[in-house]
Amino acid sequence: TTRDPQTATTDVLTYGDLVVAGKLIGPRIYSTGPGIFSSENVSSLEHARKVMKRYSAYYDTKTIKMYGTGNRQQRQWIIQAAREQNIMPTTEGGLNFRNNLTQMIDGYPGQEHSLPVFPLYKDVVGLVAFTKSAYTPTLLVAYGGPWAENYFYALERPHDDPKLNRFMPHHNLDSRSRRRNAGWFMEEEHVFEEQSAVANAIVQEGGRVGIGSHGQLQGLGYHWELWSVQSGGMPELDALRAATILGAEAIGLDNDLGSIEVGKLADLVILNSNPLDDITNSKDIGYVMINGRLYEDDTLNQVYPLNKPLPKLWWQDFAPTGVPGIRK
């Protein structure tokens, strides 16, 4: 299952419809749709209700992202309208620490991005845990230091990853993995391990932490974020809970997703090696299942209940062939 918080366009809604209709092979796709920004100029609770109708009645997103809609009163109108229309809201965590905390106090169930200061102490950790606001630190693009993704781009060599090369246009992979302009950093300059200690403290206090890869690199990005969140001492089991049931709770879908239980949807990731021994085993995937249909992870050929090879990917017909150069 994926959830995309704040899309610049509504394209993702179409992708989700295509998956449901069987026109594309993909995960369960949820989205907030375009965020609710200060440009809405929310002037009253009634105005907020009209804005929310866009999501509850038209987009049918089930969730929204309140992306800095204005002052605290305006943010409170937005969350009240969301509650009335059964929409699960999340927020954009910014550099204004006070705003981040008041959003949690006012009842927003989620914050995307790291809190902008660290280390944090028991007063803030206790507040986040008590509110049950899902803290999704997105350490791949965290505040306060080099982005964690640069650490993994340097060490993991995603350019040579066979799955990315199979399922991603190569020019697209090149543009992300070659000659990155973010710079090179000494290992001790990275801050994600220190920031992940905050995430661990929140979980140990009984709070919720989510895994959010910020859309940085399809497939591998989610694993990198999971490893980053675990790196500050979080037990591997708690990190896996953040990636599964806590994430499902964060978007209001824990009755259907996030754990293996009777009555829940038959969506599974089947691993070849144990991530409780080493969290990086999370990417050693053998099979994936969605709604009872089982696929080989390396090929996405369906093997149950029917044997069906993966159709040619749309962009493969346009892939360049041969060696570039001058021809006579």
Side-chain angles (χ1 to χ4, degrees):
T1 298
T2 68
R3 196 280 293 264
D4 193 338
Q6 203 312 93
T7 56
T9 70
T10 57
D11 290 2
V12 68
L13 304 179
T14 301
Y15 299 148
D17 289 344
L18 289 170
V19 171
V20 170
K23 302 295 186 181
L24 285 179
I25 293 176
R28 297 184 188 276
I29 298 175
Y30 296 92
S31 171
T32 65
I36 301 177
F37 292 89
S38 59
S39 56
E40 297 285 354
N41 293 316
V42 174
S43 58
S44 65
L45 176 57
E46 188 56 37
H47 184 189
R49 288 168 175 151
K50 291 178 180 178
V51 170
M52 200 59 55
K53 281 288 186 182
R54 182 189 310 152
Y55 300 87
S56 64
Y58 179 58
Y59 293 154
D60 191 26
T61 61
K62 308 294 190 297
T63 65
I64 57 124
K65 185 165 187 179
M66 190 285 296
Y67 207 117
T69 52
N71 61 34
R72 190 174 184 182
Q73 176 67 82
Q74 291 169 308
R75 299 197 302 271
Q76 289 174 342
W77 285 331
I78 289 290
I79 192 174
Q80 184 172 339
R83 180 176 182 175
E84 291 172 356
Q85 297 180 37
N86 296 314
I87 293 284
M88 175 74 88
T90 190
T91 65
E92 174 75 359
L95 291 172
N96 188 322
F97 192 42
R98 180 180 61 188
N99 279 5
N100 296 333
L101 297 185
T102 56
Q103 286 166 178
M104 295 179 188
I105 291 168
D106 289 343
Y108 277 96
Q111 172 170 307
E112 320 288 336
H113 290 298
S114 58
L115 290 164
V117 295
F118 64 92
L120 294 175
Y121 301 99
K122 62 181 181 181
D123 53 350
V124 174
V125 168
L127 172 67
V128 177
F130 176 77
T131 64
K132 296 296 183 183
S133 182
Y135 176 55
T136 304
T138 60
L139 297 177
L140 293 187
V141 293
Y143 300 125
W147 287 2
E149 71 165 4
N150 297 312
Y151 176 86
F152 293 106
Y153 268 111
L155 297 182
E156 287 289 307
R157 292 191 63 83
H159 178 270
D160 300 329
D161 186 276
K163 291 180 188 176
L164 284 181
N165 278 279
R166 181 180 182 91
F167 296 115
M168 189 174 183
H170 196 78
H171 71 275
N172 196 271
L173 182 55
D174 275 344
S175 70
R176 284 163 168 75
S177 59
R178 289 187 179 274
R179 298 193 180 187
R180 293 178 57 77
N181 293 323
W184 183 85
F185 306 94
M186 297 287 285
E187 186 171 351
E188 61 265 25
E189 293 179 272
H190 283 278
V191 297
F192 64 86
E193 187 172 316
E194 294 172 79
Q195 291 182 324
S196 68
V198 173
N200 183 37
I202 291 170
V203 169
Q204 301 314 313
E205 193 71 18
R208 291 184 181 134
V209 166
I211 307 297
S213 56
H214 203 248
Q216 294 304 106
L217 179 66
Q218 65 168 2
L220 279 180
Y222 190 87
H223 296 281
W224 292 355
E225 181 69 18
L226 172 62
W227 305 347
S228 298
V229 168
Q230 190 275 330
S231 66
M234 184 181 291
E236 283 82 358
L237 180 59
D238 284 339
L240 293 177
R241 289 177 62 240
T244 54
I245 189 62
L246 297 183
E249 289 176 2
I251 58 176
L253 295 172
D254 50 302
N255 286 333
D256 295 319
L257 304 169
S259 60
I260 303 173
E261 298 180 57
V262 174
K264 287 196 172 184
L265 297 170
D267 294 355
L268 304 171
V269 178
I270 302 169
L271 302 177
N272 296 315
S273 47
N274 191 351
L276 296 180
D277 297 331
D278 182 344
I279 197 64
T280 63
N281 287 338
S282 68
K283 75 168 186 176
D284 186 15
I285 301 170
Y287 297 91
V288 291
M289 174 177 281
I290 181 170
N291 214 33
R293 300 189 300 275
L294 188 66
Y295 297 86
E296 292 177 334
D297 186 72
D298 287 337
T299 64
L300 281 187
N301 294 329
Q302 184 177 326
V303 296
Y304 180 86
L306 302 173
N307 287 309
K308 294 171 60 176
L310 178 72
K312 181 181 285 189
L313 301 172
W314 66 267
W315 47 267
Q316 291 176 334
D317 286 331
F318 304 98
T321 59
V323 179
I326 298 173
R327 301 286 192 273
K328 290 185 178 179

